[in-house]
């Protein structure tokens, strides 16, 4: 008796087309913005690897010199060097990147958050006049509507990206 091999169904065409319609399209950035982002991400990656500030400054100067050396090139050489730089950045990415202490993934993230007033005073009465009227985000910054950083209610914290969305 021959054994039958069952292949898993990957995704049918209808599901793939629906998924592709809902995916967010990548923005096609101009070359100079791609280079600027590569430089900035390179500095962030360097900060994760170089603990000593003097070492960081020396390596950052060398990185800046590499970018300045390729400033005047054009055409296919520029796109080739950009792709090589992105690949080098990906190869040198730190396995545990540096995160600000108060951001998700940091050591101070949500450490001793203040209790909401309605938890301290459930009846709503006897609230002291000097009780704080501010609310904190999960990264311990003050909620402000005008800055767009108001996480009252539910907040999505992506621990893999170490971000609050």
């Amino acid at each position: 008796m021959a054994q039958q091999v069952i292949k898993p169904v990957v995704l049918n065409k209808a599901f793939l087309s629906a998924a592709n319609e809902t995916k967010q399209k990548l923005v096609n950035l101009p070359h100079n913005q791609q280079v600027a982002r590569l430089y900035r991400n390179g500095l962030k990656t360097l900060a994760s690897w170089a603990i000593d500030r003097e070492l960081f400054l020396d390596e950052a100067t060398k990185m800046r010199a590499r970018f300045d050396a390729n400033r005047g090139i054009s055409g296919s050489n520029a796109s080739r060097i950009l792709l090589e730089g992105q690949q080098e950045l990906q190869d040198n990415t730190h396995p545990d990147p540096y995160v600000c202490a108060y951001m998700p993934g940091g050591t101070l993230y949500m450490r001793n958050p203040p209790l909401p007033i309605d938890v301290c005073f459930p009846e709503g009465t006897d609230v002291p006049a000097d009780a704080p009227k501010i609310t904190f985000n999960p990264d311990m910054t003050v909620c402000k509507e005008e800055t767009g950083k108001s996480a009252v209610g539910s907040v999505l914290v992506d621990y893999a990206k170490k971000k609050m969305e």
Side-chain angles (χ1 to χ4, degrees):
M1 182 172 175
Q3 204 172 19
Q4 184 179 8
V5 177
I6 300 173
K7 292 184 180 179
V9 177
V10 182
L11 296 175
N12 64 17
K13 291 179 184 175
F15 184 79
L16 281 176
S17 66
N20 287 334
E21 288 297 319
T22 58
K23 277 186 187 175
Q24 191 174 16
K25 306 294 187 260
L26 290 175
V27 179
N28 193 8
L29 296 174
H31 179 75
N32 60 351
Q33 285 185 350
Q34 289 178 353
V35 171
R37 286 187 180 188
L38 178 64
Y39 181 69
R40 183 168 188 242
N41 290 333
L43 287 176
K44 286 182 177 183
T45 301
L46 181 61
S48 295
W49 286 107
I51 298 171
D52 183 36
R53 189 68 179 167
E54 290 297 320
L55 177 64
F56 171 79
L57 292 174
D58 291 342
E59 294 297 320
T61 304
K62 291 176 188 175
M63 184 188 302
R64 181 62 191 212
R66 286 178 64 189
F67 274 82
D68 287 340
N70 295 317
R71 182 181 290 265
I73 62 172
S74 61
S76 62
N77 284 340
S79 59
R80 180 184 53 81
I81 290 175
L82 180 65
L83 288 175
E84 288 174 1
Q86 290 170 342
Q87 183 61 42
E88 184 179 345
L89 177 67
Q90 186 176 3
D91 293 343
N92 293 327
T93 300
H94 198 279
D96 188 22
Y98 174 77
V99 179
C100 291
Y102 57 85
M103 294 302 287
T107 56
L108 294 177
Y109 178 69
M110 287 301 289
R111 182 180 286 181
N112 302 326
L115 294 173
I117 293 292
D118 56 344
V119 172
C120 297
F121 304 99
E123 292 86 27
T125 59
D126 300 333
V127 177
D130 62 342
K133 307 273 191 283
I134 58 174
T135 309
F136 290 98
N137 290 312
D139 62 355
M140 300 304 290
T141 57
V142 177
C143 289
K144 294 181 182 175
E145 291 291 334
E146 61 270 8
T147 61
K149 195 167 184 183
S150 180
V152 178
S154 62
V155 178
L156 175 65
V157 176
D158 189 351
Y159 283 98
K161 295 180 184 173
K162 299 184 178 182
K163 285 187 184 177
M164 180 181 79
E165 297 174 359

